């Protein structure tokens, strides 16, 4: 029985990675993270093969021509991100469920591709103003980048109605529990 697909999307700064890592580290759900490929450079502390497979743009384009992706998107100008068929197949063929952290276009495409075998979950900020405040507090991006991310967030939130469910991350612990319960209900269905 091949595994099921859990798709998680959220605007940047909504706590998506924190929620995914918290659920994975609890270790009691049979679910593995699909490591995407990207042409963006690693951030400090990121490890090749763990957070992403970091490729040059040319290597990424070669993978596109080899039909190596379930889906890929140019999420930021010149920065490509893609779900590798090899990752999803490796995890699913072993009978495990797979969790994908992907952008809104990728999320909608993967859901369309896998239908009832997939659940798509959108993590929402309490408001766009709160998201801006969080990005400023995080202090990892320039003001220009924050403006870009907030603008993009507004665009991304427009995709939320197309997801199977939406979870507002106002209180992190509550959001983790709601996401966890949603995943468990789907897996055990
Ligand atoms: P970051 O650069 O902050 O790690 O990720 C930027 C965005 O790219 C996030 O919204 C993340 O979910 C998305 N992303 C990561 N991997 C993939 C992927 O394989 N496919 C798509 N479509 N988006 C991805």
């Amino acid at each position: 029985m091949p595994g099921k697909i859990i798709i998680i999307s959220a605007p940047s700064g909504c706590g998506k990675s924190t929620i995914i890592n918290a659920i994975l580290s609890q270790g009691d759900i049979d679910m593995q993270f699909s490591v995407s490929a990207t042409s963006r450079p690693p951030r400090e502390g990121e490890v090749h093969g763990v957070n992403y497979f970091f490729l040059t743009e040319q290597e990424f384009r070669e993978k596109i021509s080899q039909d190596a992706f379930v889906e890929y998107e140019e999420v930021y100008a010149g920065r490509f991100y893609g779900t590798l068929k090899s990752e999803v197949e490796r995890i699913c063929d072993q009978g495990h469920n797979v969790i994908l952290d992907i952008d809104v276009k990728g999320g909608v495409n993967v859901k369309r591709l896998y239908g009832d075998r997939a659940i798509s979950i959108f993590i929402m900020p309490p408001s766009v103003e709160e998201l801006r405040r969080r990005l400023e507090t995080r202090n990892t991006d320039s003001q220009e980048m924050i403006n870009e991310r907030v603008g993009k967030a507004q665009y991304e939130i427009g995709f939320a109605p197309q997801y199977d469910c939406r979870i507002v991350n106002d209180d992190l612990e509550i959001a983790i529990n709601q996401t966890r319960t949603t995943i468990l209900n789907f897996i055990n269905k």
Side-chain angles (χ1 to χ4, degrees):
M1 175 71 176
K4 292 186 176 178
I5 319 278
I6 296 114
I7 302 159
I8 313 266
S9 300
S12 160
C14 289
K16 177 182 49 175
S17 309
T18 311
I19 292 172
I20 293 174
N21 289 334
I23 295 170
L24 283 173
S25 71
Q26 287 166 348
D28 57 340
I29 304 182
D30 177 10
M31 182 173 77
Q32 291 186 15
F33 184 75
S34 164
V35 179
S36 292
T38 183
S39 68
R40 82 147 163 79
R43 296 192 187 115
E44 204 176 316
E46 285 184 329
V47 177
H48 181 80
V50 176
N51 304 92
Y52 285 104
F53 294 104
F54 294 100
L55 308 180
T56 62
E57 190 172 328
Q58 193 190 339
E59 287 168 336
F60 198 100
R61 289 189 188 282
E62 278 164 20
K63 292 240 179 260
I64 295 173
S65 62
Q66 292 160 2
D67 198 23
F69 293 113
V70 176
E71 62 75 39
Y72 68 91
E73 296 291 336
E74 188 175 0
V75 178
Y76 298 103
R79 302 215 162 154
F80 292 86
Y81 296 79
T83 307
L84 290 159
K85 285 183 181 169
S86 54
E87 275 289 287
V88 175
E89 283 166 10
R90 178 181 63 76
I91 297 168
C92 286
D93 289 355
Q94 290 169 359
H96 304 300
N97 303 296
V98 57
I99 185 161
L100 306 177
D101 169 346
I102 59 180
D103 90 312
V104 287
K105 284 194 191 158
V108 169
N109 285 337
V110 172
K111 171 65 191 181
R112 196 176 295 137
L113 207 63
Y114 287 99
D116 288 345
R117 216 182 119 194
I119 187 170
S120 57
I121 303 173
F122 193 95
I123 312 283
M124 312 264 295
S127 67
V128 172
E129 297 71 45
E130 174 61 16
L131 176 65
R132 176 181 289 280
R133 201 190 58 76
R134 285 184 192 174
L135 287 171
E136 284 170 354
T137 310
R138 187 166 83 172
N139 210 14
T140 54
D141 296 311
S142 65
Q143 197 58 46
E144 191 191 345
M145 192 68 180
I146 290 174
N147 288 340
E148 191 187 327
R149 284 184 187 267
V150 169
K152 195 168 170 63
Q154 285 172 311
Y155 163 79
E156 289 168 326
I157 289 168
F159 284 76
Q162 296 183 55
Y163 278 66
D164 292 324
C165 68
R166 290 147 289 281
I167 290 169
V168 178
N169 181 10
D170 191 2
D171 179 291
L172 181 62
E173 283 313 310
I174 294 173
I176 291 170
N177 279 329
Q178 285 178 338
T179 308
R180 191 183 138 73
T181 305
T182 305
I183 294 172
L184 275 172
N185 287 343
F186 171 66
I187 288 175
N188 295 327
K189 203 161 58 176

